[in-house]
Amino acid sequence: MEKLNILFFVSFLLFLPLTIFSQKKSVDLIVQNGTVVTMDANRRVIENGAVAVDKDAIVAVGTAAEISQQFKAKQTIDATGKVIIPGLINTHTHLPMVLFRGIADDLDLQEWLTKFIFPAEAKNVTEDFVRVGTRLGLAEMIRGGTTTFCDMYYFEDAIADETFKAGVRGVLGETLIDFPAPDNKTFADAKIYAEKFVKKWQGNALITPAIAPHAPYTVSEEHLIEAKNLADKLDAPLVMHLAEAQSETDFVMKTKGMRSIAYVNKIGFLSERLIAAHVIQATDEELAILKKFNVGIAHNPQSNMKLAAGVAPVPQMLKMDLAVGLGTDGAASNNDLSLWEEMDTAAKLHKLISGDPKVLTAQQAFEMATIRGARALHLEKQIGSLETGKRADIVILDFDSLNQTPFYNVYSHLVYATKASDVRTVIINGKIVMRDKRLLTLDENAIKKDANAYRQKIINSLSK
Amino acid sequence: MEKLNILFFVSFLLFLPLTIFSQKKSVDLIVQNGTVVTMDANRRVIENGAVAVDKDAIVAVGTAAEISQQFKAKQTIDATGKVIIPGLINTHTHLPMVLFRGIADDLDLQEWLTKFIFPAEAKNVTEDFVRVGTRLGLAEMIRGGTTTFCDMYYFEDAIADETFKAGVRGVLGETLIDFPAPDNKTFADAKIYAEKFVKKWQGNALITPAIAPHAPYTVSEEHLIEAKNLADKLDAPLVMHLAEAQSETDFVMKTKGMRSIAYVNKIGFLSERLIAAHVIQATDEELAILKKFNVGIAHNPQSNMKLAAGVAPVPQMLKMDLAVGLGTDGAASNNDLSLWEEMDTAAKLHKLISGDPKVLTAQQAFEMATIRGARALHLEKQIGSLETGKRADIVILDFDSLNQTPFYNVYSHLVYATKASDVRTVIINGKIVMRDKRLLTLDENAIKKDANAYRQKIINSLSK
């Protein structure tokens, strides 16, 4: 008997450590059994991998076996046969303009703006319009696997409110412009609105409020400096169109005697706060200036093509390791919010323009839509890759649709074969916002109904 | 009594014609209540329209009220809120190459061909490979609303067999080339195969068999003339790559002392039988030669971009009213079979290249994918528009997805906002091949299984 007791005691001592080590940590969610494309510094791709999420953060990334050994989850999502990627980042859009999708196409920029967009905006853009358009755009973006976007529009406080309610991440810039806008009739009013807006949202888990002077040709030198000072004072990002077209270069050259990037540099506007959209009119020397200030860049290939604006020197930007991401621009000039098409187009466009089919590989295009896009928004410490400590912005893709069959190379398939319709489940900041293609934070039918009501109003307003 | 009899007789005489006129003609199928985009000569768009189909043909197109007055149908499809278009036409592909989708990307054409595609083809392309690849490609094309395609590959008889069984329309060219091919080791053998193939399929309702000399740089002058003579003798179309790249121009210039189009003209190769793919290296004078012979042209914008081959002078082709359609090229160099993306890319690419955003409008892009594509294949009397007497190749599109909301202009939405995933129902030659997104003539799961088996074989063959 005593012998047995001793045996029992010895057994207990032996197994105690094992019991302690096998104590699994409890987490909120594990996405498991899929191919994890981490986009970490080593660009690890983990077959039969898993991502453990607790609250809003990624707590571990590894093989499904490793993760299941260490963690037990309140909820699991099985991703067998699927691919798990960081949420896509749309570095430039004007989200509510989705209500103007296809209202006017195949026109000169000036004709398009002055005959259609400006009149349509003047007659229709209210806070309610902005809310309806934002919800529509958010729903389309979630369906396409976009988890973060950088916006520039009016009534940005309403955009922030809708974005936060839908659980989407955004760098949202209130527009400052030197003519009466739908929300603020003067630059001074817009500055007051912007300051209040930034202070209200700063510190929010999803929303990074920003100041968005429209462009060097629509905002005076004095006002650009005011915008910059306001951003510095508030410690907020600056969002601006920069070096977008030859017409801008000509205008700035004529009024300031130099090209756009040189001009904004000279007036002290550049800093690492800046997220500059387009950057088409840029020499190597000008790119070096942007590099020096760690300016973020949003490349919008489809919009630039459609408006015949030109081609940004992206291969050179990549060579110089600039922080350049991809953007759709507004859906009035694209006409969708799919980053899948932007990746595909970016990779193909720069091969054509450079005459070199090795330029801008599939992997580089996918980097622009994820980790490099995060750098463009100065959020690379929070998002852009699946790594321990980052926010849990995770997208699960079907990878067996006909257009994805057969499958050889994950980056090739992500960029050249995957479509928005292949996105299955979307998680932002640890919260599931789309599960098995069903939106959980937005009412798709109500959104369509509201959008179609605006459609009729917009048509009526333009026929008057 | 007699009075009553007379009254009855008079009534009978009066109502007789009415009875006859109200006798509705019975037809097999009516697609009704949708917006019909006819692509007829007047480019009629019929709101609340309908298309009546009997056997393989369209017997009437009009408003739903007009059609229901004249016809009663054995079967109806309600297209309320949807858009009814002619089936899309893919004017250039190599369908079985879909099994090589993404096997190698971001490479020089020569490196891509010699290091990957040619070895992979030599080691893997059998009749069974071609059948599996064809079924996969057909399924993807049907899902994307493509009802007719022009092909050039090996074992074309097997491609024809699979295409006919799936109920898809094709102009299918057996390849003639001056080196050993997977199906025929010599040009002479290939000629014998091609003649037998053409004779077997000629007169088939869906299949137009064709002769496909590969390109001016892979087929000798003597053999080009032989191919032309064979096509003339058999009254069959000729399919060929022509003026595809600077390297071809250089080669033909070096060996023949002139550019490609001048060369094929000089040797008497050109005729209205020809369907020429790419046509990038073409001056206005060369385009005039193609116009004179009514040569069909397949423009493949995405493939040309990805391989950095250059840009075909499409705006000039349209100005000269050439028969130019759109093609995806093989999925190994695109990497999909979606004509929606080709339309979108074509419209945007030519705006960028010409610097004119008014060039290649949405309507012109949609014409290239339908009626002008039919002209490129010399089938404009049979397909390409929804008109009485034409074959019933009809596609029904969802038009209320998020990416299509709101809706202002039908051509803009077709080209810039609609995706392959918006295709709901597909009818070819009067037969429904996809209904409510379910394939009826192909087994999607079996296709994926077969394709994935080849994937493993291909990977193994390349690692040896």
Side-chain angles (χ1 to χ4, degrees), chain A residues 334 336 348 407 416 455, chain B residues 106 334 348 407 419 455:
Chain A
N334 181 324
D336 60 51
K348 287 170 178 163
F407 156 51
Y416 298 127
R455 166 187 182 270
Chain B
D106 309 329
N334 180 323
K348 288 170 177 162
F407 157 50
K419 316 292 172 194
R455 165 186 182 271

Side-chain angles (χ1 to χ4, degrees), chain A residues 155-166:
Chain A
F155 299 105
E156 204 70 34
D157 180 61
I159 296 174
D161 188 47
E162 295 293 339
T163 301
F164 179 69
K165 283 196 285 193

Side-chain angles (χ1 to χ4, degrees), chain A residues 99 101 105-106 111 334 336 341 348 351 358 362 400 402 405 407-408 412 416 419 448 455, chain B residues 99 101 105-106 111 334 336 341 348 351 358 362 400 402 405 407-408 412 416 419 448 455:
Chain A
L99 288 175
R101 184 203 311 274
D105 300 288
D106 309 330
E111 201 177 342
N334 181 324
D336 60 51
E341 293 192 13
K348 287 170 178 163
K351 290 175 187 359
K358 298 186 175 190
D400 72 338
L402 285 168
T405 303
F407 156 51
Y408 295 99
S412 163
Y416 298 127
K419 316 293 171 192
K448 287 180 186 172
R455 166 187 182 270
Chain B
L99 288 175
R101 184 204 311 273
D105 299 286
D106 309 329
E111 201 178 343
N334 180 323
D336 60 51
E341 294 192 12
K348 288 170 177 162
K351 291 176 186 0
K358 297 185 176 191
D400 72 337
L402 285 168
T405 303
F407 157 50
Y408 295 99
S412 163
Y416 298 127
K419 316 292 172 194
K448 287 179 186 171
R455 165 186 182 271

